[in-house]
Amino acid sequence: MCRTLAAFPTTCLERAKEFKTRLGIFLHKSELGFDSGSIGKFEWGSKHSKESRSFSEDVLGWRESFDLLLSSKNGVAAFHAFLKTEFSEENLEFWLACEEFKKIRSATKLASKAHRIFDEFICSEAPKEVNIDHETRELTRTNLQAATASCFDVAQGKTRTLMEKDSYPRFLKSPAYQDLAAQALASSTSASSSSPAEPSHT
């Protein structure tokens, strides 16, 4: 995008406005049923924008690798919205819960949180039961007897692999992402072609 708001040409501002509108549509269409409370919202702009990749670069980066998608707050939000259309959002929610779980430093909190995650995502008939094999489920149950930050690692890894091999390719092919990526590409191309030339210093 353009470097500073003051330097935005009218076309760049219009494109930014259109892009933001499309993001809203992507997240808030009723059929997506996006839960902004649990995952977060798309962030348009940032007070650290000079240090971070532009939004269009962020969107285009999601198709480069699953790691880049998961490392982007906006990418996670978009992927979650997509998974809700396939009724498989529990996989991502479990993965995110595990990431937060690893940050806990208190042994007491670690144990109680581990049981909550297990009851919500792992045990049979859990409200958000993830698709893992019986062996992994029992291994995780055993790990809970002496909960550590790594007790969900195997289950989390298998869930991540399932998303990467199955849901992620469909997300990239979805009309919502294809449209978003096209806008990002157009925005990125427009910004680079309309950026004012640097003054020469003689």
Side-chain angles (χ1 to χ4, degrees), residues 39-197:
I39 303 297
K41 299 178 181 179
F42 272 119
E43 294 182 345
W44 182 262
S46 166
K47 57 185 176 182
H48 304 298
S49 58
K50 289 184 179 179
E51 301 167 14
S52 61
R53 300 195 331 158
S54 74
F55 194 87
S56 58
E57 288 175 328
D58 190 26
V59 170
L60 295 173
W62 303 344
R63 63 189 182 190
E64 293 176 19
S65 76
F66 193 49
D67 284 330
L68 280 176
L69 175 69
L70 292 180
S71 66
S72 163
K73 183 179 290 188
N74 294 322
V76 167
F79 189 48
H80 183 258
F82 169 76
L83 290 177
K84 286 187 81 87
T85 69
E86 298 198 330
F87 304 100
S88 61
E89 69 272 15
E90 69 279 352
N91 293 321
L92 179 60
E93 290 175 9
F94 171 64
W95 186 87
L96 291 168
C98 290
E99 289 298 289
E100 288 302 310
F101 174 75
K102 293 174 186 177
K103 299 175 184 176
I104 299 174
R105 292 292 171 258
S106 163
T108 304
K109 290 181 179 179
L110 199 72
S112 62
K113 182 65 173 178
H115 282 87
R116 285 203 299 273
I117 291 174
F118 186 87
D119 290 343
E120 186 175 7
F121 296 103
I122 303 295
C123 71
S124 298
E125 306 303 322
K128 297 182 179 180
E129 185 178 354
V130 294
N131 185 16
I132 56 174
D133 58 87
H134 177 73
E135 183 180 344
T136 301
R137 180 174 286 109
E138 291 309 305
L139 171 64
T140 307
R141 190 192 304 276
T142 301
N143 289 345
L144 254 63
Q145 295 173 12
T148 66
S150 61
C151 67
F152 292 108
D153 280 4
V154 174
Q156 184 188 18
K158 293 199 172 186
T159 303
R160 184 194 184 286
T161 298
L162 181 65
M163 289 191 293
E164 184 173 15
K165 302 294 185 187
D166 188 39
S167 305
Y168 174 57
R170 288 201 301 275
F171 167 72
L172 295 181
K173 293 176 183 176
S174 69
Y177 177 71
Q178 290 286 325
D179 188 45
L180 199 59
Q183 286 296 311
L185 187 61
S187 178
S188 179
T189 303
S190 172
S192 61
S193 63
S194 62
S195 296

